[in-house]
Amino acid sequence: MIPVPLLVFVMGAWCAVYLADTLLKSSVTHRIRYESWLASRGLMLSPFHLRWQTTMFNRLFAYCARINPRAQYLWFNSGLVFGIIAMVGSVVLLAKTLQQTLAQMTTDNPRMGSQQTLQVVIPGVNLPTSQLAYFFSALMLSGVIHELGHAVAALREQVRVNGFGMFVFVVYPGAFVDLFTTHLNIISPTQQLRIFCAGVWHNFVLCVAALAFLFLLPIFLFPVYSTGGGAMVTEVVQGAAADGPRGLSVGDIVTGLEDCAVRGVEDWSSCLSHISHTPQTGYCVPSTSLQPSWAHGRAFKRLDGTMDCCSNNSLTDLCFSYMKPQSKSSREREYACMPVRKMVTGTQVCRVDDNCATAHSTAASICVTPSLENQTRFIRVTHPPNTHMLFVGYPPHLQYAVSLTNFIPRFGFLHLDLPVFLETFCKYVVSLSGALAVVNSVPCFALDGQWMLNALLEATLVTVVTDRQKRELIGFFLLLAGSALLAANVALGLWMVTAR
């Protein structure tokens, strides 16, 4: 559901800007001066749309277009090939995404939403407000690189660039280049394709570059940050189960979850997933510890059918179940309410009693297992040199309560957030630049895909379909189909994000 305060703020800001613009343009004394000020700065304002255009970057574009012409010829030809492949691939991807969205609408499985390749992003709804700076910065960078590709390709094909600009539509930033239409119309379809495909090609290259930087980040930061020694805590949600005197703190290094070693954030996630989908582990304790004085409780069933034996609501005791040593053949289970930290500190994990039989142990041990509600788990979190953090709850809650990083500072003065910033920004660049490459490749009205398709049809069908009107009719129906496919994805995506 769309947050009302955010919607009110955005609508109020745009209404105030548009009202001021209307008043100034209708003023007899200020209209001429105001319109001259807008024109001198290349500004244009319309409802929910602010646009700025300049010619200050034209020399930079011209300089880039003159660098190594032979290499650029190969470069933009590679972009032409990629653009044609991307146009077909984007249609396949959108069709698959639409199928996944329709399947998600008919099921209550929450995991299907995370399996979608493309998702509609709405700030404040499915994008946390804490991530807005990353989102808009990466989106603007992707848009500028996209338009840089168009501008350089156009100058190489002797098409004049009138200017470069940026805009804000509602809350989404973007960029554009203004090309001289007469020059664009008189060049060959192949030359047009190089220009039209250059944007998505540069988005793809930026996506690959950011992905490579992300994978090589541990090498780049190796002199000042180490990896592979655990996952360092960067944030703990206040009031969450992991918070507190015996919980996790910023700067702690997590090295294990039960018997699952944690060498980084990926291990942390995989260990929690493994613990969620496997039965609760037990702990080897000496059988002499299980004495009547240890508050053997009278077991009773919970509402979900599981057993409990602690009725004192103690925060330090937990109900454990184990096989009675005298009746292993009948598999009769006994229950005992025992102090949890004393029972599990320094003990090995087990599944059955046989796991506790060791050659060097003289005392007989048995395997005791926490008796918990369905899907609830007892987890020992290892973060030396501190004692174990003991967590009882749903494992995904622990994952959402703690933010971690793979990078551990080698020196005390280094900031924990630098690797997190670089990682997060690169991930947003990969996602948004890749998404721009896909969406702009779709044969859809008003997108690059429209001009890519028209130029491709002119380059390939001119000898097969000699009538230009028939070629335009074929292009129109293909564009209509592509536009309908993209519109269906956007409409259903918006509905999934805001209505569910």
Side-chain angles (χ1 to χ4, degrees):
M1 188 174 180
I2 296 178
V4 176
L6 178 64
L7 183 62
V8 170
F9 174 78
V10 172
M11 294 293 293
W14 275 112
C15 288
V17 170
Y18 192 64
L19 178 62
D21 178 70
T22 303
L23 291 175
L24 288 171
K25 286 182 177 178
S26 59
S27 171
V28 177
T29 57
H30 297 95
R31 181 175 62 85
I32 297 176
R33 184 184 303 174
Y34 174 64
E35 290 180 348
S36 299
W37 181 83
L38 289 177
S40 64
R41 285 160 177 78
L43 292 172
M44 291 182 61
L45 185 64
S46 58
F48 303 104
H49 185 262
L50 177 63
R51 167 175 156 155
W52 168 73
Q53 183 174 339
T54 182
T55 58
M56 69 172 64
F57 299 106
N58 285 12
R59 288 186 178 183
L60 174 63
F61 297 148
Y63 172 77
C64 293
R66 291 192 298 268
I67 298 174
N68 201 335
R70 177 62 180 171
Q72 288 203 28
Y73 176 78
L74 297 174
W75 176 261
F76 286 107
N77 275 336
S78 300
L80 185 152
V81 175
F82 171 80
I84 296 173
I85 296 173
M87 189 162 32
V88 177
S90 64
V91 172
V92 174
L93 187 58
L94 282 180
K96 181 181 178 182
T97 303
L98 182 61
Q99 182 184 11
Q100 291 173 337
T101 304
L102 292 173
Q104 188 183 356
M105 292 171 63
T106 58
T107 182
D108 294 328
N109 186 0
R111 294 181 184 174
M112 290 199 67
S114 61
Q115 296 174 356
Q116 286 185 289
T117 307
L118 294 174
Q119 289 185 336
V120 175
V121 176
I122 302 178
V125 180
N126 60 346
L127 177 69
T129 53
S130 61
Q131 304 282 300
L132 289 181
Y134 293 112
F135 176 80
F136 289 126
S137 299
L139 186 59
M140 181 57 72
L141 175 63
S142 302
V144 168
I145 296 298
H146 179 100
E147 299 304 330
L148 174 64
H150 284 312
V152 175
L155 290 171
R156 283 199 72 260
E157 305 298 342
Q158 307 304 313
V159 175
R160 190 177 76 195
V161 176
N162 294 328
F164 166 83
M166 297 182 181
F167 65 88
V168 176
F169 178 69
V170 188
V171 295
Y172 296 97
F176 65 92
V177 287
D178 182 17
L179 303 180
F180 191 51
T181 307
T182 304
H183 289 175
L184 194 60
N185 289 335
I186 62 177
I187 60 177
S188 69
T190 304
Q191 290 176 297
Q192 292 177 356
L193 263 177
R194 291 196 194 101
I195 298 172
F196 298 141
C197 294
V200 297
W201 168 238
H202 280 74
N203 276 139
F204 172 74
V205 172
L206 177 62
C207 177
V208 173
L211 194 61
F213 183 83
L214 192 60
F215 280 116
L216 295 175
L217 192 58
I219 298 175
F220 295 148
L221 297 180
F222 179 77
V224 288
Y225 291 89
S226 64
T227 57
M232 174 170 279
V233 178
T234 58
E235 183 184 3
V236 180
V237 176
Q238 189 174 5
D243 190 23
R246 291 197 173 184
L248 295 174
S249 303
V250 173
D252 286 353
I253 301 174
V254 178
T255 59
L257 296 172
E258 291 298 347
D259 58 339
C260 185
V262 175
R263 293 174 294 275
V265 178
E266 294 77 12
D267 290 340
W268 164 270
S269 300
S270 62
C271 287
L272 283 177
S273 178
H274 174 73
I275 291 172
S276 300
H277 296 93
T278 55
Q280 173 67 53
T281 56
Y283 305 91
C284 294
V285 299
S287 56
T288 54
S289 300
L290 302 173
Q291 300 174 7
S293 59
W294 274 54
H296 285 260
R298 182 183 181 87
F300 58 91
K301 280 191 175 183
R302 301 186 182 95
L303 294 177
D304 63 352
T306 57
M307 302 299 292
D308 195 5
C309 59
C310 292
S311 57
N312 56 358
N313 295 323
S314 171
L315 297 177
T316 59
D317 296 342
L318 194 65
C319 184
F320 289 84
S321 69
Y322 59 94
M323 299 292 298
K324 291 184 66 174
Q326 300 86 359
S327 59
K328 289 186 180 181
S329 58
S330 63
R331 301 190 63 80
E332 183 179 351
R333 301 197 72 85
E334 191 76 26
Y335 296 88
C337 184
M338 298 178 286
V340 59
R341 185 171 289 277
K342 186 173 182 179
M343 293 301 297
V344 304
T345 300
T347 60
Q348 76 175 72
V349 297
C350 59
R351 298 291 179 184
V352 294
D353 289 343
D354 293 341
N355 299 145
C356 300
T358 57
H360 61 273
S361 177
T362 57
S365 297
I366 62 174
C367 186
V368 299
T369 305
S371 180
L372 303 169
E373 297 178 78
N374 290 333
Q375 298 186 1
T376 302
R377 294 291 184 271
F378 174 83
I379 304 173
R380 290 185 305 184
V381 181
T382 306
H383 57 122
N386 304 303
T387 58
H388 290 101
M389 186 197 83
L390 305 182
F391 171 82
V392 179
Y394 190 39
H397 292 171
L398 180 58
Q399 186 166 7
Y400 300 145
V402 182
S403 299
L404 304 105
T405 179
N406 291 322
F407 298 90
I408 303 172
R410 297 183 186 273
F411 309 102
F413 63 86
L414 293 173
H415 207 286
L416 298 179
D417 292 336
L418 175 60
V420 176
F421 166 77
L422 294 174
E423 274 190 309
T424 307
F425 182 71
C426 284
K427 289 177 181 177
Y428 271 99
V429 171
V430 170
S431 299
L432 294 174
S433 191
L436 281 179
V438 171
V439 172
N440 274 290
S441 299
V442 179
C444 171
F445 293 108
L447 294 179
D448 286 350
Q450 174 183 358
W451 316 113
M452 290 162 59
L453 178 65
N454 289 338
L456 180 64
L457 293 180
E458 287 297 317
T460 56
L461 294 186
V462 66
T463 57
V464 180
V465 182
T466 55
D467 189 347
R468 184 181 180 86
Q469 289 186 340
K470 290 183 179 179
R471 293 198 302 271
E472 291 178 350
L473 190 62
I474 293 173
F476 173 79
F477 282 112
L478 290 176
L479 288 172
L480 194 62
S483 301
L485 180 61
L486 181 60
N489 272 277
V490 172
L492 292 180
L494 284 171
W495 183 84
M496 292 295 293
V497 169
T498 57
R500 296 193 71 176

